[in-house]
């Protein structure tokens, strides 16, 4: 099995990320449906639309934080399945909605589910991945988010062809969420738990079996034994000298630093403005004079471009160029594209200058492509890599819940109002943050983690575990690199 089973597990688990993308993207088309707007007596730039999107993000905050508990108690795989079940309930409520309350409650459930899956899927993938292809494996998270956005767009576009009097325009796209939920619930039963989670729960024989199933190629018995011993040694050391609960990740200096890294990479991803464009691009196209079915068609093309760029990046680049360089490139490129977008909109306020409207669409597409070659996949990879095993579940929960979803909740609520009032000036909120905060932080603070085992990444942050290992800890079977770096750390202390 080996590599192909590893990739199959990652792709299947990423169905949870597909749900993330689909649920986040489906409202982009739904809020353009004349029947939906008439049924709920609203308009695309109203606070009601902002509330529908913000309660989704708010539910995701809760789901992400809950995942910190369920991943440790029930495991990574089961947490993804719990998310799929909750999402199924949300899909039923939304598609059967008879009033605004049902839509809002359904969106809360959908957000709750997506929050659970958005933090558990990358951790599950990362803990099962071989170090040399971990960027590819975890990068599938963003790839499938993009695919989910794309599918939601084209299902929405097809449903929009129904008669204006038909609620099929919006009920069918919302009901389709149930399909990947069922696939996840049933299909994940055929895949194992993370080997690191099994070792954490003292299920060592199962963990060794899973490692062989994930990585054995017929010749690498020594590497698998070394990987097993390295994981076991690190977890044993950390369990011996740490306390359970949420407090240690805030009070232990090394872990606090790593938590900050993971949280910041999620915050900075939101401050690229990509989700604002994803949620409200139909409003942006309206401002450029692109309306009706043409608006949905352009949205559909936009959502295809991102996954194609991500696919190229995770296959050919992420495990070669690393993490920091793409983040620096992405920050600079997105900032330039947003400045150009603002300048074009300022000269085309009524959307009647077709040449400028085309240029406006081009630069929104540029943001999408640049994001897909940088922050999109790298943010999930970096977050899952920098967390040490004892706080990986809770740390990822905090980073995703607070760094991603809480920030997303804010922008989901204020963006339709801002786009309707200050219009093109809104882009400069993201431009200023990228220049003043994101760029210097990535350049001076972020670490390079490519092709390094999760246990060796401990050493990039100064020390292993809480700064020491028990004197009796046996290093037999651990990598020479890990042994040498640890010895250097001890001799320098």
């Amino acid at each position: 099995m080996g590599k192909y089973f590893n990739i199959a597990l990652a792709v299947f688990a990423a169905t949870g990320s597909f749900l993330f993308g689909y649920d986040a993207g489906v409202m982009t088309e739904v809020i353009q449906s004349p029947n939906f707007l008439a049924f709920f007596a609203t308009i695309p730039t109203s606070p009601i639309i902002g509330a529908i999107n913000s309660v989704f993000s708010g539910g995701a905050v809760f789901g992400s934080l809950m995942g910190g508990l369920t991943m440790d108690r029930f495991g990574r795989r089961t947490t993804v399945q719990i998310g799929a079940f909750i999402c199924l309930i949300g899909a039923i409520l939304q598609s059967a909605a008879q009033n605004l309350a049902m839509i809002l409650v359904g969106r809360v459930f959908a957000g709750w589910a997506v929050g659970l899956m958005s933090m558990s899927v990358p951790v599950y993938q990362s803990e099962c991945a071989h170090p040399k292809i971990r960027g590819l494996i975890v990068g599938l998270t963003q790839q499938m988010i993009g695919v989910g956005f794309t599918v939601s767009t084209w299902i929405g576009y097809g449903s929009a062809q129904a008669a204006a009097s038909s609620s099929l325009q919006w009920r069918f796209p919302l009901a389709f969420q149930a399909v990947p939920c069922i696939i996840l619930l049933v299909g994940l039963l055929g895949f194992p738990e993370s080997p690191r989670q099994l070792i954490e729960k003292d299920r060592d024989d199962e963990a060794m079996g899973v490692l062989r199933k994930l990585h054995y190629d017929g010749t690498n018995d020594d590497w698998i034994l070394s990987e097993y011993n390295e994981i076991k040694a690190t977890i044993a050391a950390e369990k011996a000298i740490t306390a359970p609960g949420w407090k240690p990740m805030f009070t232990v200096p090394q872990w606090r630093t790593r938590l900050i890294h993971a949280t910041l990479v999620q915050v900075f991803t939101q401050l690229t403005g990509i989700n604002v464009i994803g949620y409200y691009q139909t409003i942006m196209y309206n401002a450029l004079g692109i309306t009706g079915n043409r608006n949905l068609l352009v949205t559909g093309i936009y959502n295809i471009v991102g996954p194609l760029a991500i696919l190229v990046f995770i296959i050919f680049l992420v495990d070669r160029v690393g993490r920091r360089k793409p983040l620096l490139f992405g920050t600079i490129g997105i900032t330039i594209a947003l400045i150009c977008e603002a300048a074009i909109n300022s000269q085309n306020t009524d959307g009647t200058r077709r040449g400028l409207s085309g240029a406006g669409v081009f630069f929104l597409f540029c943001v999408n492509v640049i994001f897909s070659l940088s922050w999109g996949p790298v943010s999930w990879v970096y977050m899952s890599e920098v967390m040490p095993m004892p706080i990986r579940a809770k740390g990822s929960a905090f980073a995703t819940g607070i760094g991603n979803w809480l920030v997303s909740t804010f922008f989901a609520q204020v963006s339709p109002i801002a786009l309707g009032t200050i219009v093109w000036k809104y882009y400069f909120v993201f431009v200023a943050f990228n220049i003043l905060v994101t760029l210097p932080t990535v350049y001076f603070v972020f670490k390079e983690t490519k092709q390094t085992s999760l246990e060796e990444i401990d050493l990039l942050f100064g020390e292993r575990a809480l700064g020491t290992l028990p004197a009796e800890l046996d290093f037999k079977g651990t990598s020479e690199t890990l042994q040498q770096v640890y010895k250097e750390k001890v001799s320098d202390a």
Side-chain angles (χ1 to χ4, degrees):
M1 293 189 176
K3 182 178 180 179
Y4 295 107
F5 182 77
N6 200 330
I7 293 174
L9 179 149
V11 171
F12 210 94
T15 306
S17 300
F18 173 92
L19 262 173
F20 175 174
Y22 188 91
D23 281 353
V26 69
M27 293 308 297
T28 303
E29 286 68 43
V30 166
I31 63 174
Q32 284 294 114
S33 162
N35 186 274
F36 178 86
L37 296 174
F39 192 91
F40 294 104
T42 187
I43 59 174
T45 56
S46 73
I48 290 176
I49 298 300
I52 289 172
N53 282 322
S54 62
V55 295
F56 171 80
S57 298
V61 174
F62 172 75
S64 295
L65 296 175
M66 171 184 162
L69 301 174
T70 59
M71 280 213 299
D72 280 340
R73 182 166 184 176
F74 303 114
R76 281 59 166 145
R77 184 189 65 172
T78 303
T79 295
V80 177
Q81 291 176 300
I82 291 171
F85 179 74
I86 294 170
C87 192
L88 183 60
I89 297 173
I92 294 170
L93 285 170
Q94 291 172 76
S95 58
Q98 298 301 311
N99 50 56
L100 184 61
M102 286 185 71
I103 282 286
L104 291 174
V105 173
R107 291 301 284 169
V108 170
F109 271 85
W112 179 8
V114 166
L116 270 173
M117 291 185 284
S118 66
M119 54 79 60
S120 57
V121 169
V123 171
Y124 183 42
Q125 291 172 323
S126 180
E127 291 187 354
C128 292
H130 192 288
K132 291 186 177 180
I133 60 168
R134 192 169 57 245
L136 166 65
I137 294 296
V138 184
L140 286 169
T141 294
Q142 186 64 38
Q143 171 69 16
M144 292 298 282
I145 291 172
V147 171
F149 260 102
T150 302
V151 172
S152 74
T153 300
W154 288 105
I155 286 179
Y157 180 74
S159 300
Q161 309 311 309
S165 59
S166 173
S167 63
L168 182 71
Q169 284 187 342
W170 56 276
R171 292 192 189 276
F172 180 75
L174 293 173
F176 186 82
Q177 298 169 82
V179 175
C181 294
I182 296 170
I183 292 173
L184 265 178
L185 279 169
V186 178
L188 270 184
L189 294 173
F191 290 94
E193 182 54 84
S194 148
R196 287 170 173 83
Q197 172 72 9
L198 293 172
I199 291 174
E200 174 79 10
K201 299 298 182 183
D202 298 319
R203 296 159 63 182
D204 295 358
D205 291 342
E206 287 183 64
M208 175 59 84
V210 171
L211 279 172
R212 289 183 63 83
K213 202 170 185 179
L214 290 169
H215 304 308
Y216 185 60
D217 63 8
T219 63
N220 62 343
D221 288 287
D222 290 342
W223 182 88
I224 289 174
L225 181 60
S226 172
E227 181 77 355
Y228 170 82
N229 287 332
E230 193 167 295
I231 295 169
K232 190 169 176 62
T234 301
I235 291 175
E238 289 168 334
K239 286 173 73 173
I241 53 180
T242 56
W246 293 76
K247 186 177 179 180
M249 69 182 183
F250 298 106
T251 56
V252 176
Q254 296 91 339
W255 292 358
R256 184 171 60 241
T257 297
R258 296 168 76 164
L259 179 65
I260 290 170
H261 276 247
T263 305
L264 286 181
V265 78
Q266 292 293 315
V267 172
F268 294 167
T269 299
Q270 290 298 317
L271 266 298
T272 62
I274 192 67
N275 275 352
V276 174
I277 296 173
Y279 286 151
Y280 300 116
Q281 58 184 295
T282 51
I283 298 175
M284 296 174 181
Y285 298 146
N286 280 332
L288 292 168
I290 301 169
T291 59
N293 278 342
R294 285 180 63 229
N295 187 306
L296 293 178
L297 182 61
V298 173
T299 301
I301 297 170
Y302 172 96
N303 286 338
I304 289 176
V305 169
L308 291 176
I310 292 168
L311 188 63
V312 171
F313 181 76
I314 64 175
I315 291 176
F316 298 109
L317 295 174
V318 66
D319 287 313
R320 295 182 182 180
V321 299
R323 318 307 188 227
R324 290 179 74 255
K325 289 179 182 178
L327 295 182
L328 292 169
F329 156 76
T331 303
I332 295 169
I334 289 171
T335 299
I336 293 171
L338 290 175
I339 291 172
C340 293
E341 182 69 26
I344 288 166
N345 277 261
S346 71
Q347 301 301 310
N348 187 30
T349 55
D350 57 2
T352 57
R353 300 174 67 176
R354 296 185 62 184
L356 289 179
S357 294
V361 171
F362 171 77
F363 282 110
L364 288 177
F365 274 52
C366 281
V367 173
N368 189 14
V369 171
I370 296 167
F371 178 84
S372 300
L373 296 173
S374 56
W375 286 96
V378 174
S379 61
W380 298 108
V381 175
Y382 191 74
M383 181 198 76
S384 65
E385 288 177 328
V386 299
M387 289 295 183
M389 182 66 194
I391 65 163
R392 189 165 293 143
K394 293 181 176 67
S396 297
F398 182 88
T400 307
I402 303 303
N404 185 317
W405 290 112
L406 188 61
V407 177
S408 176
T409 301
F410 171 77
F411 283 110
Q413 183 63 52
V414 304
S415 292
I417 301 169
L419 289 168
T421 52
I422 60 174
V423 202
W424 57 269
K425 299 181 185 73
Y426 188 48
Y427 294 113
F428 284 106
V429 172
F430 306 101
V431 169
F433 193 93
N434 286 340
I435 293 173
L436 298 176
V437 181
T438 302
L439 190 60
T441 303
V442 173
Y443 186 81
F444 291 110
V445 178
F446 278 21
K447 309 283 187 181
E448 183 52 68
T449 57
K450 70 171 180 177
Q451 298 191 9
T452 306
S453 78
L454 295 179
E455 285 64 46
E456 288 169 349
I457 287 173
D458 288 347
L459 298 168
L460 291 176
F461 289 87
E463 301 173 29
R464 291 197 62 195
L466 297 187
T468 185
L469 288 172
E472 70 275 9
L473 183 66
D474 184 5
F475 263 114
K476 183 179 179 180
T478 58
S479 70
E480 292 182 6
T481 302
L482 185 57
Q483 294 180 46
Q484 183 60 36
V485 176
Y486 176 67
K487 289 173 182 176
E488 290 174 0
K489 290 287 178 184
V490 172
S491 63
D492 291 341

